[in-house]
Amino acid sequence: MKFMAGLFAIIVTILGVSIEGYNCKVVQFIFGDSLSDVGNNEHLSKSLAKASLPWYGIDFGNGLPNGRYTNGRTVADIIGDKMGLPRPPAFLDPSLTEDMILENGVNYASGGGGILNETGGLFIQRLCMYKQIELFQGTRDLIVAKVGPTEADKFFQEAKYVVALGSNDFINNYLMPVYSDSWTYNDQSYITYLMETLQDQLTILHGLGARDLMVFGLGPMGCIPLQRVLSTSGGCQQKTNNLALSFNKATSNLVSGLSTKLPNASYKFGDAYDVVNDVISNPQKYDRSKYVFWDEYHPSDSANELIANEMIKNLGWTTVANNGTNGPSPAPAAIAPAPQG
C-alpha cells in the first residue's frame, strides 16, 4: 500500500494468438501493489491492507468497494481501457478459470506488496513480488495443461510485460524504523539490495517466457499526504523523493543491461516521476477542481487518468477510440475523501 508504488503494476499484453481453437484476445497480467490491486487483498483473510471501507469504489461500477484503493479506476485500468485491453480479474477471485485467463488475463497485484519479501510485514498478509511470480508460474502451468506446452510457450513468449513496484519497499519498509532494513542498510546499499532482488525477479520472468517487458519507475513518494505531514511546512519530503530518483536511475540501468544480456529480451524502462510530479506541483495546468489524492497514499481517479494519459503519450503507445464491451467507467467528479477514524 502506498502511492507510486505502483506506478508500477505488471501488465502483460498478449497479441491476438490463436491457440488450438482458442482465439486469444489481447490480455493483461498485472503484477503490483495497491495502485493496481483489484481485489486480491479482499481474499486474504488476515490482511490489514484492504480497500473495503465506505466510499472506496464510489465512482466505479455499482459504487461499492471493489478492492481498488481509490474512488474509481487505477492507472492500469485506464491504460488498458485506452489500449483496448480487457480488465483482468484478481488472481484470488474464486470464480477464476482457465478460459477466463485466456479471455481476460490475470491481476496479481496486492496492497502492501513490494520487491522484497519483508516489505509490508505490518499488514500481516500481502503478496510480495516473489509470491506474485509464483502465482504466475501456477497460471502458466494451468495454461500448459489447457492448450499444451508448445502453444503455451508461444502464448507467453508473445506477451508484453509491464512491471511496476517499489514504493512500498521505501514507505512501508526502509523509511520505517520498525523494519530491520531501516538500520541494516544505508540509502545506497539498500537500493543495491533492491536491484539485486529485482534483477533476479526479472530474470525468472524471462525464464517463464517474458520477452517484451516494460518496468515502470517510482513517482515522487515524498509528496504523498502521509509523507507531507512529517514536514513542519507541509511540503514534500525531498529525502524521500531523492530515494525515488535514485531508485529510478538504478532501475533504468538494470533494465538496459538485462535487455542486452538475456536472449531475445526487449526490456524497457518507463519513467513516471516527472509526469506525477507535474500533476502534484502544477494542478492548475490540468484542473484545479480535481483532487490529486483519494487518501493518504493513493491518487484519485481523476489524477490516475491524467497520469495514464501522460504516460501513454510519453511512451508513444497506440490507443483505440472505443474498446467495445469492456470500456472504462466514466471519469468521476471530484469527491473529497471520506473522513477516516
Side-chain angles (χ1 to χ4, degrees):
M1 231 168 73
K2 101 279 100 248
F3 178 34
M4 283 292 143
L7 275 183
F8 245 65
I10 195 172
I11 306 174
V12 181
T13 306
I14 297 166
L15 300 177
V17 187
S18 179
I19 298 181
E20 293 185 353
Y22 292 93
N23 185 19
C24 298
K25 292 183 176 179
V26 176
V27 301
Q28 302 178 80
F29 291 84
I30 299 179
F31 300 61
D33 47 39
S34 57
L35 292 179
S36 306
D37 192 347
V38 295
N40 281 310
N41 278 26
E42 297 308 301
H43 299 287
L44 297 176
S45 61
K46 297 179 181 178
S47 178
L48 300 181
K50 295 188 177 184
S52 54
L53 295 173
W55 307 113
Y56 281 81
I58 191 170
D59 295 300
F60 187 101
N62 62 9
L64 297 176
N66 56 63
R68 289 170 173 80
Y69 294 73
T70 184
N71 59 311
R73 300 160 295 169
T74 67
V75 170
D77 283 332
I78 298 165
I79 290 177
D81 290 342
K82 291 179 179 293
M83 296 181 70
L85 307 174
R87 291 178 182 169
F91 176 83
L92 294 180
D93 184 334
S95 67
L96 186 68
T97 65
E98 293 94 329
D99 287 337
M100 289 174 63
I101 294 169
L102 290 169
E103 184 80 8
N104 300 294
V106 184
N107 185 318
Y108 306 92
S110 173
I115 294 170
L116 304 177
N117 289 343
E118 60 265 32
T119 290
L122 293 180
F123 298 127
I124 311 299
Q125 278 188 306
R126 72 279 178 230
L127 305 176
C128 66
M129 184 59 176
Y130 274 121
K131 184 62 177 180
Q132 292 182 37
I133 292 173
E134 178 185 331
L135 298 177
F136 176 62
Q137 170 73 74
T139 300
R140 195 181 192 286
D141 292 343
L142 287 174
I143 299 304
V144 168
K146 182 78 171 179
V147 304
T150 300
E151 299 300 340
D153 284 346
K154 180 180 180 183
F155 181 82
F156 289 105
Q157 288 183 13
E158 293 189 359
K160 293 184 178 180
Y161 300 74
V162 179
V163 181
L165 276 172
S167 292
N168 277 324
D169 294 291
F170 294 97
I171 301 300
N172 288 304
N173 187 348
Y174 181 66
L175 293 174
M176 294 182 68
V178 295
Y179 290 95
S180 62
D181 286 348
S182 68
W183 67 78
T184 303
Y185 301 93
N186 59 35
D187 291 358
Q188 186 53 55
S189 64
Y190 185 65
I191 289 176
T192 298
Y193 175 32
L194 286 172
M195 291 303 104
E196 290 172 348
T197 307
L198 183 59
Q199 176 174 321
D200 183 56
Q201 292 164 345
L202 297 180
T203 302
I204 292 173
L205 283 175
H206 181 270
L208 294 174
R211 296 295 180 268
D212 192 340
L213 180 148
M214 174 74 76
V215 179
F216 285 109
L218 304 182
M221 304 180 298
C223 295
I224 67 173
L226 190 68
Q227 285 286 300
R228 294 174 77 121
V229 298
L230 302 177
S231 169
T232 55
S233 66
C236 297
Q237 291 280 346
Q238 193 56 46
K239 170 181 167 59
T240 306
N241 284 346
N242 288 341
L243 286 170
L245 291 169
S246 296
F247 176 91
N248 289 349
K249 181 178 180 180
T251 303
S252 178
N253 292 336
L254 170 64
V255 170
S256 178
L258 287 176
S259 189
T260 59
K261 175 183 176 183
L262 298 175
N264 302 314
S266 177
Y267 284 14
K268 300 179 179 66
F269 176 73
D271 193 346
Y273 187 97
D274 289 342
V275 173
V276 181
N277 191 54
D278 196 44
V279 172
I280 294 171
S281 303
N282 303 293
Q284 70 280 359
K285 288 176 53 180
Y286 302 92
D287 188 334
R288 69 173 67 247
S289 71
K290 305 296 184 184
Y291 288 92
V292 175
F293 291 99
W294 170 247
D295 60 17
E296 69 270 32
Y297 291 100
H298 309 97
S300 66
D301 179 285
S302 296
N304 282 339
E305 181 157 32
L306 291 172
I307 293 164
N309 288 340
E310 287 299 308
M311 290 174 67
I312 289 171
K313 181 175 70 174
N314 292 346
L315 292 168
W317 286 346
T318 301
T319 61
V320 294
N322 187 339
N323 70 342
T325 60
N326 202 25
S329 303
I335 297 176
Q340 304 298 313

